[in-house]
Amino acid sequence: MGLMDWLREGITGQKICPIEHLEAYKRLGEQVYALHAELAGSGSPRAQAYVQAARSLRTMADALIGDALDGDEPKPVPIVTHDQADAWYGALPDIMVAARQEAAFAHSARTPLPVTLGGQIEGPKPCPEAHLAGLRRAAGDMEELLRLDVDLARNEGERFKEAILLFEEARTRRQAGDSIVGTISNGRRVSPESHEEAEEQYWIALSNFILIAQGLKDPELLKRLPARANRSHSAFKTCKLDSDDIWKVTSELAIRDINRSGERAQAIEDLTEHWELFVETPVEREYETTVEELLAQGMIKEDSYWYCCPFPSVYRVNAPYVRVLGHQIPRGHVFVFEYGDDGEPGRFITQKSFQPADERKYCED
C-alpha cells in the first residue's frame, strides 16, 4: 500500500483495495458460477447445499462491495465493508472443495453443514452509511435469489416448513432494516441505537438467507438445528464446547498452575462433575465462538484465568473495542464468562481489571 493510500484509510476510514485483489474476487465469483453448472446434475442434497452456500456468499459479497468491483480503477469502500467482503470471499474455496468432495463420495467433506456467516466483522459504531447500503443490497439480492425456490417449496409445505418459516422472518427483518435505512438516507438525524438496529436487522436476515438456501436443497439440515438458534450468527459454528475433553474451556495457564501445585486429581474430579451437570445454552456457544474469532483476529489476548472451576481464560481487549454478548468492551478492559456450578446458568463479567486470586476455588471449597 502506498503512503497516500495508508493516510487516506487512517483519516477517512475508507479502504482502496489493490486492483489485483478485486480481480481475484471476480475470479472467485466466476468459479462459483462454474461450480453451479458443473454440479447441476448431482443427486447429492449435501453437495447441492454446499453449492447454494457458495452462491449465497458470492451474492452477498458482490452486493456488499457494490460498484467497487466495476471499472478499471478500484473505488474506496469503508474498511469494515472491505474486511467483511474479504471474509466472505475467502470462505469460498473451502466450500467449493467440500461441494466437489461430497458429490464424489457421500459424507466425505470436512466442512460442516449448514454453512453459516461466522462472526460479523466489527467496525465503528454507528457503522458507515455506505456499509449499511451494502448490507441492504446484500439482503435484497439474497431475497430475490431465493424467492422463486421458496415459492416452489410452498407446494411441499411440510417438507420445507423450516426453510419457509426462516424466509418469512428474513424478509421481515430485511424490510425492518430498509425502513430504518430509509430514514437515515433521507437526511434525518437518528440515534446511534437506530443506526445499529438497522445493521442488526440486516445481519439477522442474511444469517437466515444463507441457511434457507441450503435448507431448500437438504431440508434435514434445518430440522436438526436448535430452536431459534438462527437469531445468533455464531450459533451453529463448532467450538471447544463440542469436545468431550474435561479441560476444554480451562485456560492453559490454569492447567500449568494446577499441575505445579499438585491439584491435578482434585481438578479432574471437579471438572468431571462440572461437565456432567452442565446445561449448555446458546449464550455459552455464542461466547466461545465469538472469543475464538476475536483471538484469530488479534483483537483480544489471554490475560489470566478465572479462579473458579472450570478456570476459563480471562481476556484483555487489544482493539479499540470489541462486542461480546451484546457488551461493548473498550481497549484495555478484561472480560470472562463465569460458568455456573451444578448446572446453573453462567454470567458474563467485564471491568477495567480483575484482582488476581490467591488460589483456585473448587466445588467443595
Side-chain angles (χ1 to χ4, degrees):
M1 181 190 302
L3 176 60
M4 294 306 296
D5 287 346
W6 181 82
L7 290 173
R8 177 189 175 93
E9 286 189 15
I11 295 171
T12 68
Q14 302 288 318
K15 191 163 191 171
I16 297 180
C17 185
I19 189 65
E20 60 271 17
H21 200 176
L22 291 179
E23 289 172 346
Y25 284 170
K26 290 182 178 181
R27 288 194 294 271
L28 273 174
E30 291 167 1
Q31 288 184 31
V32 173
Y33 282 122
L35 178 74
H36 187 210
E38 174 189 333
L39 298 185
S42 172
S44 166
R46 289 174 60 84
Q48 294 297 336
Y50 283 120
V51 172
Q52 290 302 99
R55 292 184 69 202
S56 298
L57 288 177
R58 182 201 60 80
T59 298
M60 290 188 290
D62 283 355
L64 191 67
I65 290 292
D67 63 3
L69 288 169
D70 299 334
D72 295 330
E73 292 295 327
K75 299 176 184 177
V77 296
I79 292 176
V80 63
T81 301
H82 180 280
D83 291 348
Q84 185 65 73
D86 198 32
W88 287 344
Y89 282 121
L92 290 176
D94 286 345
I95 298 172
M96 290 189 286
V97 166
R100 290 189 168 109
Q101 289 177 335
E102 198 65 29
F105 298 98
H107 298 283
S108 60
R110 294 182 179 181
T111 301
L113 282 173
V115 175
T116 65
L117 292 191
Q120 184 175 4
I121 299 297
E122 293 290 343
K125 298 296 179 182
C127 75
E129 289 186 19
H131 186 65
L132 270 183
L135 292 174
R136 182 179 194 173
R137 289 191 300 268
D141 287 0
M142 282 301 299
E143 185 172 337
E144 288 304 310
L145 178 70
L146 299 174
R147 186 185 299 279
L148 178 59
D149 287 341
V150 171
D151 287 344
L152 293 174
R154 295 183 194 277
N155 296 324
E156 302 179 65
E158 194 58 35
R159 182 185 178 203
F160 294 103
K161 176 181 177 181
E162 288 76 13
I164 294 168
L165 292 177
L166 276 181
F167 184 78
E168 296 303 334
E169 176 175 0
R171 71 189 188 99
T172 303
R173 297 288 184 180
R174 195 269 305 163
Q175 291 167 358
D178 284 356
S179 298
I180 300 171
V181 170
T183 301
I184 293 171
S185 61
N186 288 336
R188 296 181 58 188
R189 183 178 179 84
V190 298
S191 68
E193 290 78 12
S194 296
H195 209 112
E196 191 170 337
E197 177 65 16
E199 184 182 11
E200 181 180 357
Q201 295 298 326
Y202 284 134
W203 191 264
I204 294 173
L206 293 171
S207 299
N208 285 346
F209 280 137
I210 192 172
L211 293 176
I212 296 161
Q214 297 166 81
L216 290 171
K217 297 299 182 183
D218 188 352
E220 293 302 314
L221 292 177
L222 302 188
K223 295 181 187 299
R224 297 195 296 268
L225 295 178
R228 304 306 298 160
N230 59 285
R231 296 292 294 276
S232 170
H233 57 77
S234 58
F236 307 118
K237 294 190 69 178
T238 58
C239 67
K240 60 181 66 176
L241 291 175
D242 296 306
S243 171
D244 292 329
D245 186 357
I246 60 172
W247 304 92
K248 53 191 171 184
V249 305
T250 305
S251 164
E252 291 293 333
L253 299 175
I255 295 174
R256 180 197 63 192
D257 289 349
I258 287 169
N259 290 335
R260 286 177 176 175
S261 61
E263 300 171 2
R264 187 172 181 84
Q266 185 179 15
I268 290 174
E269 180 180 352
D270 237 33
L271 287 164
T272 301
E273 180 181 356
H274 174 87
W275 294 117
E276 286 176 350
L277 298 175
F278 174 67
V279 178
E280 182 184 314
T281 72
V283 175
E284 289 87 1
R285 183 163 293 269
E286 179 178 354
Y287 174 79
E288 294 296 350
T289 54
T290 300
V291 162
E292 289 177 13
E293 290 156 6
L294 293 174
L295 283 169
Q297 297 167 17
M299 300 179 76
I300 61 174
K301 66 176 180 179
E302 185 174 14
D303 183 75
S304 55
Y305 62 89
W306 197 242
Y307 71 102
C308 290
C309 182
F311 315 112
S313 299
V314 171
Y315 298 102
R316 185 173 297 278
V317 178
N318 290 334
Y321 62 86
V322 298
R323 290 184 65 85
V324 182
L325 297 180
H327 298 265
Q328 183 167 306
I329 310 165
R331 187 195 303 274
H333 282 222
V334 293
F335 65 88
V336 68
F337 189 85
E338 182 184 40
Y339 284 79
D341 289 336
D342 301 326
E344 290 298 310
R347 63 183 181 128
F348 179 75
I349 308 172
T350 181
Q351 55 193 53
K352 190 171 183 179
S353 64
F354 295 139
Q355 181 177 353
D358 295 331
E359 56 185 10
R360 286 157 295 282
K361 178 179 180 295
Y362 293 93
C363 290
E364 68 270 20
D365 292 348

